[in-house]
Amino acid sequence: MSVELHLSKEQLEAALPQIRLSPKDNGTLQMIVRRPKIEAREVIEQGELDTVVGLVGDCWSTRPGFKTPDGLPNPDQQVTLMNSRAIALIAQTTDRWPLAGDQLYVDLDLSDENAPAGTKLCIGTAILQVTAEPHNGCRKFSNRFGTAATKFVNSQEGKFLHLRGINARVIQNGAIRVGDVLKVQRPS
C-alpha cells in the first residue's frame, strides 16, 4: 500500500464521520510520546504524570513560555492530547503520530461539547483537567502534514471538534499506560 505524504481537503473531510464516532465517556489511551528535548520524541508504553512537570521526562517544564509574562512554561499547556482517529487520518501511519508533538493520543471525543474546559480526565491513577488554552495547527504541523491538514484542524468545525487536540494540566499525580481507559468527568 502506498502512502501519500499529505492528504487533500476532500480526503480529510470524507473521514469526519469516523472521527465523530469517537467514544464520549470511556476512551482509550492509544499512545504516549515523551519529548526529552525539542524536536526529539520517545514513544513509551507507560509514564508518570506530575502536577509540577507534566509528563515525567518530557521537556515541557524546561522550555521557555514565550507567551507568559514571567517566561515560564504555561501550566495550562502542560499536557496535550490529540484524538487518535484524527492523527491516524492525518499522519496515515502510526510511526508518524509523534510528529504532531502531542504527549497523549486518545480515542475519545475531545469536542467542545464533550470535553469543555474544566472537564476532568481520569487516566490510570492520574487526573488531568482540560484547560481553555487553544491548541491549533501551526507552521511545523503544516510542514509535517500539509497545508490542507492544517486548514482542516483549524477550520471552524476542526476547532469545535478539537481535531488538533486540547491542552490540559495535571491535577493528580499518577501512573498511565497505553490501553488505559479515560473516564470523563464533565464540570457541573
Side-chain angles (χ1 to χ4, degrees):
M1 174 182 129
S2 76
V3 175
E4 296 176 41
L5 187 56
H6 300 140
L7 297 178
S8 69
K9 174 185 176 189
E10 294 75 24
Q11 290 169 309
L12 293 162
E13 289 176 351
L16 273 172
Q18 181 62 28
I19 294 170
R20 286 192 191 103
L21 292 175
S22 298
K24 299 208 178 291
D25 293 310
N26 294 303
T28 308
L29 179 57
Q30 302 285 311
M31 183 182 282
I32 305 168
V33 179
R34 182 169 50 204
R35 305 162 308 174
K37 60 183 180 179
I38 294 174
E39 299 302 327
R41 309 283 192 268
E42 294 175 347
V43 177
I44 57 177
E45 288 297 311
Q46 57 190 12
E48 293 285 327
L49 293 176
D50 179 89
T51 58
V52 176
V53 300
L55 177 61
V56 174
D58 186 80
C59 69
W60 169 83
S61 65
T62 62
R63 295 168 78 162
F66 296 110
K67 295 181 180 178
T68 57
D70 57 8
L72 296 174
N74 183 345
D76 285 345
Q77 295 175 316
Q78 196 175 46
V79 176
T80 57
L81 297 90
M82 188 171 182
N83 178 287
S84 60
R85 296 175 191 221
I87 191 61
L89 168 68
I90 293 165
Q92 301 176 67
T93 60
T94 309
D95 64 308
R96 288 178 41 85
W97 289 19
L99 294 175
D102 300 284
Q103 294 107 329
L104 306 180
Y105 296 88
V106 300
D107 190 17
L108 183 71
D109 177 352
L110 299 177
S111 69
D112 278 336
E113 187 175 87
N114 195 60
T119 298
K120 292 178 183 173
L121 302 173
C122 304
I123 312 170
T125 59
I127 301 176
L128 294 169
Q129 186 168 40
V130 177
T131 66
E133 194 69 34
H135 187 40
N136 299 316
C138 62
R139 180 183 47 80
K140 287 181 183 180
F141 190 85
S142 187
N143 289 342
R144 294 169 183 159
F145 302 113
T147 304
T150 305
K151 288 180 180 178
F152 177 65
V153 299
N154 287 341
S155 69
Q156 184 176 354
E157 186 167 23
K159 286 183 178 185
F160 173 78
L161 295 172
H162 291 289
L163 296 180
R164 178 58 195 96
I166 59 173
N167 283 293
R169 67 181 346 169
V170 180
I171 61 170
Q172 178 178 301
N173 296 344
I176 59 170
R177 76 174 33 247
V178 171
D180 279 349
V181 172
L182 281 83
K183 295 182 181 171
V184 178
Q185 296 177 355
R186 290 171 198 87
S188 306

